[in-house]
Amino acid sequence: MAEVKPEDMVHHMPMDQLQGFEYCIDSNPSWGEGIALGFQHYILSLGTAVMIPTMLVPLMGGNDHDKAKVVQTLLFVTGIKTLLQTLFGTRLPTIMGGSYAYVVPVLSIIRDPSIAQIADGHTRFLQTMRAVQGSLIVSSSIQIILGYSQLWAICSRFFSPLGMVPVIALVGLGLFERGFPVVGKCVEIGLPMLILFVALSQYLKNMNVRHVPVLERFSMLMCIALVWVYAHILTASGAYKHTALVTQINCRTDLANLISSSQWISIPYPLQWGAPTFSADHAFGMMAAVVVSLIETTGAFKAAARLASATPPPAYVLSRGIGWQGIGTLLDGLFGTGTGSTVSVENVGLLGSTRVGSRRVIQISAGFMIFFSMLGKFGALFASIPFTIFAAIYCVMFGIVAAVGLSFMQFTNMNSMRNLFIIGVSLFLGLSIPEYFSRYSTSSRQGPAHTKAGWFNDYINTIFSSPPTVALFVAVLLDNTLDVKDAARDRGMPWWARFRTFRGDSRNEEFYTLPFNLNRFFPPS
């Protein structure tokens, strides 16, 4: 075999921005294409917007009408939060949706004896929702204070590219349970969806119509439409008539009851469930979810910046975004969505799949959310798509976000045993510890922390059930204490340095400057 000459070797230099994006954060497709892409992001966001209320509302005592109303409210508030974040927050193309991190403290409120003993289901639902609202309103102050005081910006100075690798990677990988395990519950729908989506979006992506790569940009919409029709044919033909209830829930297209339970026109409004109630125990427990969503959002912001072909958000911009996330959680509490705010990870992945990172597309998507949430039955039609279809898409989208996290290793020295140790241990513990908490909770119907102090239990069980949160604690601790003196270059700190401040890189002004000349009144630091 001939010896390879050094000059023949291909060297891939580290790159601040991903290449190959036709539309990055501040460039826009045509209005027609932008509207179609925005609608696609809206459809993808429906999975989480439907799944969280479907999981929680029946446990609260609510009926199908209550569930449909909570779904509408969550979508309406998601649209508002997304507009606020893209206009005045980080200005990254991110959808601010509901968060699974809040499930543990919400379940704790549901099981509160003073609420659980209420006999009437609807009354119990209202009392539970008001308690959740009160705890969200109080706990949102953490993100508001950390964000607008720039305390989170100070904390983020301890985050190196090396430390962010496991955090961003586990923002995607940590959601593996919502991928193929859900696909497997209705494999005759989920597997064709997964295969078809990969085939159209990757293998056939170069097929153009009038110089537009239609299959790369809109394969998700096409696949959902085809598989949804296929699922409806199976349902109508009686394929699931005598199957188990779990199979019917995941496969049938007529069990959501969202269309029949929704009103034609319904506009969500603050305090629609009544005046919030406040409890110190509930609020302290909810604060753990706020911390978790803050960390998950930080990782998702950094992934979104890369998939929008932008520079890493400066500490000032990141902190500003967290402040607006706190405002979003406050809105969740005022309107009563049943959960708090976080960046929609699947929509971040869609930026990479379509190679369109335009901010305007996400703002159009927010418009669809607000519009269809007010037209109840029309929005419920799209929201009735079987969750198995979304799970198949998640297998791709979450994987893209995880890969973005791993791509940060290019800025570090991966020939360093120190770096290999930190990434390996933080990735492993970030997956292993939450899995332990999940299995313990499933088998014992309570978390590993089950003392008499309910708020403490919620804190521990929520924090350590989040893979990105565990990874951040482990990675940042090790990265800032283990052989730090001579490891700055190995950690990637020289590369990251110019992105720490707003004026450290000339491109930051292009990507992150506030609109309407607001930087005159709020000068960046």
Side-chain angles (χ1 to χ4, degrees):
M1 182 176 177
E3 185 179 351
V4 179
K5 298 178 182 179
E7 58 268 22
D8 293 334
M9 296 181 183
V10 178
H11 297 280
H12 301 283
M13 299 299 295
M15 304 187 75
D16 299 336
Q17 298 171 258
L18 281 179
Q19 304 299 300
F21 278 69
E22 186 172 347
Y23 303 106
C24 63
I25 183 172
D26 56 350
S27 60
N28 303 309
S30 65
W31 278 105
E33 191 176 350
I35 289 171
L37 287 165
F39 183 72
Q40 188 168 238
H41 275 277
Y42 159 71
I43 291 294
L44 183 57
S45 68
L46 289 174
T48 299
V50 173
M51 192 60 187
I52 293 178
T54 299
M55 182 194 311
L56 295 177
V57 171
L59 298 176
M60 293 178 176
N63 53 30
D64 287 338
H65 174 72
D66 297 323
K67 180 177 72 174
K69 195 171 180 180
V70 173
V71 170
Q72 285 178 262
T73 303
L74 181 52
L75 279 172
F76 183 80
V77 177
T78 295
I80 294 175
K81 293 184 297 187
T82 299
L83 285 177
L84 290 173
Q85 188 66 247
T86 55
L87 284 172
F88 309 115
T90 59
R91 309 213 70 216
L92 289 167
T94 52
I95 287 177
M96 302 301 296
S99 171
Y100 288 94
Y102 291 82
V103 169
V104 171
V106 170
L107 288 176
S108 180
I109 294 173
I110 291 172
R111 294 168 184 152
D112 190 305
S114 63
I115 296 175
Q117 66 184 3
I118 300 174
D120 180 67
H122 185 64
T123 303
R124 188 169 79 253
F125 166 74
L126 291 177
Q127 291 298 326
T128 306
M129 182 60 81
R130 292 169 186 170
V132 172
Q133 286 182 260
S135 57
L136 283 171
I137 290 171
V138 173
S139 59
S140 67
S141 60
I142 291 181
Q143 291 174 338
I144 293 173
I145 292 171
L146 285 175
Y148 292 125
S149 68
Q150 291 295 307
L151 283 174
W152 191 242
I154 296 172
C155 293
S156 69
R157 295 179 186 278
F158 294 96
F159 304 161
S160 70
L162 179 74
M164 284 292 100
V165 168
V167 177
I168 302 171
L170 291 187
V171 166
L173 292 178
L175 298 169
F176 69 91
E177 289 186 350
R178 296 185 189 98
F180 204 84
V182 179
V183 171
K185 293 179 180 178
C186 188
V187 71
E188 62 269 31
I189 291 176
L191 194 57
M193 178 68 198
L194 176 58
I195 294 172
L196 187 62
F197 179 56
V198 172
L200 293 186
S201 65
Q202 300 302 316
Y203 288 97
L204 301 176
K205 64 183 178 182
N206 293 322
M207 292 182 62
N208 294 345
V209 177
R210 294 183 179 179
H211 306 292
V212 176
V214 174
L215 291 182
E216 182 180 53
R217 299 274 167 82
F218 306 108
S219 57
M220 196 201 83
L221 272 182
M222 296 176 187
C223 293
I224 286 179
L226 289 172
V227 177
W228 192 13
V229 170
Y230 164 63
H232 188 69
I233 292 172
L234 289 178
T235 301
S237 64
Y240 305 113
K241 199 171 279 186
H242 304 294
T243 58
L245 180 61
V246 174
T247 303
Q248 294 193 41
I249 290 173
N250 288 279
C251 297
R252 295 183 70 102
T253 59
D254 58 357
L255 284 186
N257 295 327
L258 289 174
I259 300 175
S260 59
S261 303
S262 300
Q263 298 176 327
W264 281 104
I265 298 178
S266 176
I267 302 177
Y269 56 91
L271 309 184
Q272 60 186 338
W273 311 110
T277 57
F278 299 92
S279 164
D281 279 354
H282 296 163
F284 278 117
M286 195 67 76
M287 286 178 183
V290 169
V291 172
V292 166
S293 67
L294 181 153
I295 292 170
E296 293 175 348
T297 295
T298 298
F301 277 152
K302 292 182 180 294
R306 193 145 180 80
L307 288 173
S309 198
T311 54
Y316 166 81
V317 172
L318 188 64
S319 199
R320 187 175 72 190
I322 294 301
W324 278 105
Q325 185 188 4
I327 297 294
T329 303
L330 177 62
L331 291 175
D332 286 319
L334 291 173
F335 280 83
T337 63
T339 184
S341 300
T342 193
V343 171
S344 175
V345 179
E346 55 268 32
N347 290 92
V348 173
L350 187 57
L351 300 176
S353 178
T354 59
R355 294 199 296 169
V356 175
S358 170
R359 183 189 297 122
R360 178 188 288 176
V361 168
I362 299 301
Q363 292 169 338
I364 292 172
S365 176
F368 277 117
M369 293 175 197
I370 295 171
F371 178 74
F372 282 116
S373 64
M374 293 190 290
L375 297 179
K377 289 193 181 294
F378 286 103
L381 172 65
F382 300 117
S384 63
I385 300 170
F387 189 71
T388 307
I389 293 177
F390 290 110
I393 300 170
Y394 292 168
C395 291
V396 176
M397 301 309 172
F398 294 161
I400 290 173
V401 174
V404 170
L406 297 177
S407 75
F408 277 79
M409 288 193 289
Q410 68 183 299
F411 307 114
T412 68
N413 177 14
M414 291 314 296
N415 291 314
S416 163
M417 228 14 255
R418 171 193 182 274
N419 290 2
L420 291 174
F421 174 84
I422 292 171
I423 289 180
V425 171
S426 53
L427 277 174
F428 185 84
L429 291 180
L431 286 171
S432 187
I433 291 176
E435 181 66 13
Y436 163 73
F437 273 72
S438 175
R439 292 189 182 187
Y440 192 105
S441 300
T442 301
S443 60
S444 304
R445 295 189 178 181
Q446 59 183 359
H450 46 271
T451 65
K452 293 182 180 180
W455 65 269
F456 175 78
N457 300 339
D458 290 343
Y459 236 96
I460 299 300
N461 294 331
T462 301
I463 291 289
F464 290 99
S465 294
S466 166
T469 305
V470 174
L472 182 133
F473 288 157
V474 175
V476 173
L477 176 64
L478 292 175
D479 190 34
N480 286 277
T481 57
L482 185 62
D483 299 333
V484 182
K485 186 176 180 182
D486 301 315
R489 184 173 295 276
D490 287 350
R491 299 166 64 202
M493 294 305 281
W495 172 79
W496 200 288
R498 67 182 185 277
F499 302 118
R500 287 177 176 243
T501 61
F502 188 84
R503 294 185 175 87
D505 190 287
S506 59
R507 293 168 292 180
N508 290 339
E509 185 173 354
E510 175 188 353
F511 298 139
Y512 301 114
T513 298
L514 292 173
F516 316 122
N517 208 18
L518 289 175
N519 274 48
R520 290 190 308 167
F521 307 102
F522 305 100
S525 57

